[in-house]
Amino acid sequence: MTVAPLSAHLPQINVELAEYSELFMLISAFIYTFAFILFTVDLVRSSATIRRVEAELAAEQQEERTRRLVGAAAPGHDAASAPPSQPTATDAELVDDDLAYMGASRPFANVAVALTAVAAAAHGFAVIARGVAAARWPLANMYEFLTAAALLVSVVFLLVLLRRDLRFLGIFVLGLVVTMMAGATMGFPTPIGHVQPALQSPWIAIHVTLAVSAMAVFTLTFAMNVLQLVQSRRERVLEGEPKGRFERNLGKAQFMRLVPSAFSLESWAYRLNAVGFVFWTLGPLITGAIWANESWGRYWGWDPKEVWTFVIWVVYAGYLHARATRGWTGNRAAWLSIIGFICIIINYTVVNIWFPGLHSYAGLPE
Amino acid sequence: MSTDNDAATQVQPSAHRDNAREDALNDAQGISKKDVTAPALGPRGMLRWAWTQLTSMRTALMLLLLLAIAAVPGSIFPQRVQDSFAVQTYIEDNPTLGPVLDFFQMFDVYSSVWFSAIYILLFISLIGCIIPRARKHYQQMTSPPPRTPRRLDRLPEYGALELTSDGPDPEIALTEAGKVLKKRRYRVDVRRHEDGTGSVGAEKGYLREIGNIVFHVSLVGVLIFVAAGAMFSYRGQKVLIEDEAFVNALVAYDNFYPGTWFQEENLEPFSIRLDSFERAFDRQLFDGEPNPNYGQALDFTAEVTIQDGPQSEPEQTELKVNHPLSLGGGAQIYLVGNGYAPVITIRDGEGEVAFSGPVITRPDDPLYTSMAVVKAPDAAPEQLGFVGLFLPTAHDTGDGLAISIDPELGNPELHLNSYAGDLGLDEGVPQNVYVLDTEDLTELNARDADAGGIAIGPGETHELPEGLGSIEFEVVQDYVAIDIHYNPGTTAILIFALTATAGLITSLFLRRRRAWVTVEQNEHGRTLVSYGLLARGEDFRLRDENIALRTEFEKTWPVRPPEENNES
Ligand code: HEM
């Protein structure tokens, strides 16, 4: 007997396009890395940036003063004879609580943002090309999941940047994007292919896309909530006497002066978390249950992946509650948001790799 | 007109203790908060105190966090709902830890006493939370907007305009302020004093709170239908070999798991017959080489004949993964597995047929290397048993070991060991049909035995040593594993899940705002309009609302520029 050459009903895979996809994935990973380095340089140089802003402010004030003096024509007035004080910019002059763009020009950060945009374009092409090459939604394995999540993180970041000055998040966001890209290409390299029957469902597009979007949003809020905790500690340090080396260093950390106030970070993280929570409710939870009902015959079965989807949902529901609970607003609520994100990381690492379940598609009768 | 319409809200204790947003709201409006703190003496007082505690925001938060933590062990330890066999294996492998974990219901987390206690408390708290909340909201919606605070400039957003002398007098300005607010979709209450001055109280965004209540009520709905659905549900499994039919009756199931209130009459008499089964595999070549996923399954199609009850006509259709069939008034049929069933005939030492029929083999890998177990308890003089592999495309690796190199039937072979002796089937102890306990059996055929192993293809027969019989491999058939599920709760659960989402979105993204305008006459005889805004819950655009209101006011009235204000 010979192997019957049964041809599948699915379209052929476009190998050439798939190779381009992989190439562009690498290219974008390199550009992201470069952007990350520039954001780091920007962080290291933040004190220089602040000094420059202060100099500009000083010049402005000087000008203002001379104008006033000339106008008042009062030579010999106190203000003129007083030594030209070196004004220190208050934090309020460096960042804005509404995250609007302020005067401080940050060339390194700006180039980094531009590079991120270029990388995101290449990355977007790579992800779409992969989907076109395989004639399906490119979200079927860890490689595709991670690259798509990284793409959404950077796209959401860039979109918010259009309206709001999130450059202070750059180093964290790009750090995460680079990690995800490295994880995808080195940890889970997966050759292009069709998917098994259970994954051939339109629900994959909705379910996984919403999950990835939620992750992208939660990634941003995670970074913001962590910064919030640092910033609020710094604010307390600045009010009183710093205790210990950590607090003294924190008080002097110039970069944190380019980060908005803890209060502002908190409320922005909340606005994003609310969006992320809706995505998570609709995506992993509801469409996940609908698809499970269609594919496996039950909407919910406490498979490890489902357990963690539930845990994450409950933690973020707890976060939303905490923000409305006396004594839990502010930093305590931020911790819950951080824990929620840690659960997401666990869900996509530990659970994917070590806890077997239906999501690894055993799919055999008992 | 009454100016003290907040009296009702003030007398009533807060609908949720510990709600930070209500505190903030009350602070801003200058309403003192009333807390139930010290437990009153006496059993009734204690009960009331316990109830207040249970329905407080803090308790809800704690219970939510507890619920999250309590769910985790279910992903670490195998669960009976998922795989009772894995639980059994786990306990056998961990003889000390296993029973302890079992005692603490770690293998039944989601039906355990402690997990149930947490979510039942949570939902009691939830109901105790929604009812006063809904009542309070109904009151607020049916009574006029809250009393005008004494000092509007204390509110988070505040503005004042001085109209020019030729502007309207306070009485008209008051009416017009009400109109402006109405245009911005506020519910408006104009409160006039004798002298023509007065104030306007306004509120909008009642839907936000309704959304929140709908969300929480929907959660209760989901829980009720999850529970009720599980009570009346049943699910079962059946393996169907080509040309075999299944009739929905208890005896026909291989495994059957009824819900608590399941009754046998609930089984609608539908039937399903497997006519043929087709698999499609990835056969694409990249540059003449098999692609990395070569041989991966791409499609399974079962051609079936279904009959939805004795009255209806048989009908041919397809059953595929992700496309369940709906039969018998709501039972869903799923294609969950498939494999090969070689047809085998076993003759015993006396030449009688001891077994004849298809044998279900369990695929172990994507190449369908399948476990095969055949038992022939009717064989005489000794019972016979066979264990081994079915290989769809057998390939000899050279050292006498064969493996499967392709999932399709290229070169099907059975590779078996054979045993004789007491199979242990007569004691009445239920046995797994896919496992043969060879401990007490005599080995006849094995690769390292004198007689060697059995390796036969279709149409071939192998004689067992010592004249104990023979085994014949006839043809290969396909089989499918189907799951039959019936859960009357699913539609309701889906509907409540969707209303929950709608409520959630409304409650997170709509804004509830209160606005007050006071109109006075200042010492220059000009009309002074001040207004203040207060948000209930998060509102990041209250400033925008301030600006919008101001713009509207400036369009309505001639306003004196602020510099002139300073000077006069
Ligand atoms: C089944 C468990 C529960 C879940 C999953 C849940 C989920 C949520 C979510 C996601 C929100 C945010 C939406 C919003 O801000 O309107 C929320 C708000 C709220 N929940 Fe719950 N909740 C639960 C139980 C409870 C309980 C037991 C109470 C009673 C104390 C409660 C009282 C509230 C209140 C008062 C708010 C509005 C907070 C505010 O903005 O003032 N919830 N809940």
Side-chain angles (χ1 to χ4, degrees), chain A residues 35 37-39 41-43 45 49 105-113:
Chain A
I37 294 171
L38 285 180
F39 271 122
V41 174
D42 173 65
L43 182 147
R45 288 180 47 89
T49 308
S105 83
R106 293 161 67 178
F108 286 98
N110 291 352
V111 176
V113 169

Side-chain angles (χ1 to χ4, degrees), chain A residues 277 321, chain B residues 19 21 55 57 125-126 129 133 212 215-216 507:
Chain A
F277 186 73
H321 268 214
Chain B
N19 190 324
R21 296 197 185 141
T55 55
M57 283 294 280
S125 165
L126 176 55
C129 197
R133 200 180 164 106
N212 186 296
F215 169 75
H216 286 90
S507 125

Side-chain angles (χ1 to χ4, degrees), chain B residues 162-169 172 525-527 556-560:
Chain B
E162 192 182 32
L163 309 192
T164 54
S165 317
D166 57 345
D169 62 11
I172 299 173
R526 294 191 277 256
T527 305
T556 317
W557 301 309
V559 176
R560 278 166 57 93

Side-chain angles (χ1 to χ4, degrees), chain A residues 270 277 313 317 320-321 324, chain B residues 16 19 21 54-57 60 64 122-123 125-127 129 133 208 212 215-216 219 504 507-508 536-537:
Chain A
Y270 167 73
F277 186 73
W313 188 73
L320 291 178
H321 268 214
Chain B
H16 344 272
N19 190 324
R21 296 197 185 141
L54 181 62
T55 55
S56 77
M57 283 294 280
L64 274 173
L122 182 57
F123 274 87
S125 165
L126 176 55
I127 293 165
C129 197
R133 200 180 164 106
R208 177 187 172 104
N212 186 296
F215 169 75
H216 286 90
L219 293 186
L504 180 70
S507 125
L508 284 175
R536 163 149 200 182

Side-chain angles (χ1 to χ4, degrees), chain B residues 140-159:
Chain B
Q140 290 186 353
M141 280 175 65
T142 47
S143 51
R147 173 180 61 115
T148 313
R150 240 177 297 281
R151 300 201 46 185
L152 292 184
D153 56 350
R154 287 242 186 99
L155 295 176
E157 287 296 327
Y158 164 78

Side-chain angles (χ1 to χ4, degrees), chain A residues 1 13 200 293 323-324 326, chain B residues 18 20 23 284 298 334 410 538:
Chain A
M1 263 201 237
I13 286 187
Q200 296 166 18
N293 197 43
R323 286 194 81 266
R326 197 189 306 155
Chain B
D18 281 336
D23 286 359
Q284 191 179 350
L298 294 186
Y334 300 85
E538 302 296 333

